[in-house]
Amino acid sequence: MTKGTFGPGALELRHLRCFLAIADEGNITRAAARLRITQPAASRTLAALEDALRARLVDRSTHHLTLTPEGRAFRDKAAVAVAAFEDALDVGRSVRRALRLGHAWSAAGAYTTPLLRRWRATHPDVPLELLRVDDRTAGLARGAVDAALLRGSVGTPGLVTELLYTEARVAAVPVDSALAGRGRLVLADLAGHTVALNTVSGTTTLDLWPVDARPTGTITVANTDDWLAAIAASRAVGVTTTATADLHPHPGVVYVPLPDAPPVPVFLARRDGPPSHPALRDLCALAHEVTGRD
């Protein structure tokens, strides 16, 4: 890294937002599209940030960008800084801003409506805002939400998780498939089919199957809507949890129990450190109460 042409004091919030978008997307072009700026502008902003910090934050040696150790450490600090800035602005807008709860798909499944209704009854002065954010941490790592409902393993540094419950897995098959009429399926029944994988926020990978009995092919999608569309069009089958069956019924898709697949844990996650919202602890307590865990 060359010696910086300006110091950290000259940095602006846009530098942090740009870096967090790149960290989430793993791609400068997609990050630029999210920020509604050009790819060269995003590259210049990242370079200016690295120059000011005198540290390499992003490893550009591969097609899919990865964060350096310095980048991973800075991501958590940048997310906290952006969230703190947004909280400061909220002071002038309302005494009690909405509590933002992120999810990448299916929220809390069948518990979603009870959770929202109970919150409204017990905290009428603090709106609970449910936000779908299509990334691995549902917007939590970049400060877009105060807490998030996350499924599967959560390995993002700087997050604290609490297990709420587990969900059984189900197969999702086209309504006219021979598999649709079965009362239950096993993973081996899907091995002869193409499987749709949500590589952005999904919990299903080929590791779910034994190495010698994996599906014949895969197609990748970025969100639940595209995943459902691919299955309904008979391009693939899928594996998901009962939450998807509860919240995303589809006329072209049938959900069939998949009892030999391991269940999926559902966590309530927040950023490490001081709560980003004064009602966050109340949300954690209510989420455990509604889902039945102490």
Side-chain angles (χ1 to χ4, degrees):
M1 176 63 61
T2 59
K3 186 176 181 179
T5 56
F6 66 101
L11 293 177
E12 301 174 5
L13 191 64
R14 64 184 178 87
H15 293 92
L16 303 186
R17 291 190 189 280
C18 183
F19 168 70
L20 291 173
I22 292 171
D24 281 348
E25 297 291 345
N27 180 280
I28 292 180
T29 300
R30 290 197 298 270
R34 178 200 288 186
L35 297 170
R36 298 183 180 180
I37 61 177
T38 65
Q39 185 273 333
S43 295
R44 289 194 299 269
T45 302
L46 174 62
L49 175 62
E50 291 180 319
D51 198 36
L53 297 176
R54 300 184 183 181
R56 180 70 67 185
L57 303 177
V58 175
D59 182 359
R60 302 167 176 78
S61 62
T62 61
H63 178 69
H64 183 84
L65 302 184
T66 58
L67 299 184
T68 64
E70 294 83 359
R72 290 193 293 272
F74 183 70
R75 175 181 57 189
D76 299 331
K77 297 177 180 178
V80 170
V82 171
F85 177 82
E86 293 174 347
D87 287 345
L89 293 182
D90 278 326
V91 169
R93 295 172 186 167
S94 63
V95 176
R96 302 295 296 273
R97 70 165 174 81
L99 177 58
R100 303 162 301 178
L101 178 60
H103 70 104
W105 49 278
S106 297
Y111 297 113
T112 303
T113 297
L115 177 63
L116 295 176
R117 286 181 175 272
R118 287 280 300 278
W119 181 267
R120 185 176 181 183
T122 56
H123 297 77
D125 57 332
V126 183
L128 180 57
E129 197 172 278
L130 192 63
L131 301 173
R132 172 178 153 181
V133 183
D134 291 320
D135 67 41
R136 183 60 61 185
T137 67
L140 186 59
R142 56 187 170 92
V145 297
D146 301 295
L149 294 160
L150 304 178
R151 288 175 170 81
S153 60
V154 181
T156 303
L159 300 187
V160 176
T161 61
E162 299 181 21
L163 177 66
L164 294 179
Y165 61 98
T166 60
E167 293 173 342
R169 276 188 163 103
V170 297
V173 300
V175 67
D176 56 354
S177 165
L179 300 176
R182 305 267 292 274
R184 56 189 287 178
L185 296 170
V186 295
L187 287 168
D189 293 326
L190 307 180
H193 299 265
T194 297
V195 174
L197 302 178
N198 179 349
T199 56
V200 174
S201 59
T203 58
T204 301
T205 70
L206 289 180
D207 291 336
L208 194 59
W209 287 264
V211 175
D212 58 349
R214 288 181 172 172
T216 55
T218 63
I219 60 173
T220 60
V221 297
N223 55 59
T224 302
D225 294 335
D226 293 346
W227 180 84
L228 285 168
I231 296 169
S234 295
R235 295 179 58 209
V237 298
V239 175
T240 185
T241 75
T242 51
T244 308
D246 289 335
L247 295 189
H248 297 281
H250 192 290
V253 176
V254 173
Y255 298 101
V256 184
L258 198 61
D260 72 329
V264 175
V266 181
F267 298 95
L268 183 65
R270 60 176 175 81
R271 292 186 298 277
D272 197 6
S276 61
H277 192 288
L280 189 53
R281 289 189 177 90
D282 291 342
L283 175 63
C284 292
L286 184 61
H288 280 290
E289 183 179 335
V290 169
T291 59
R293 287 184 64 94
D294 296 329

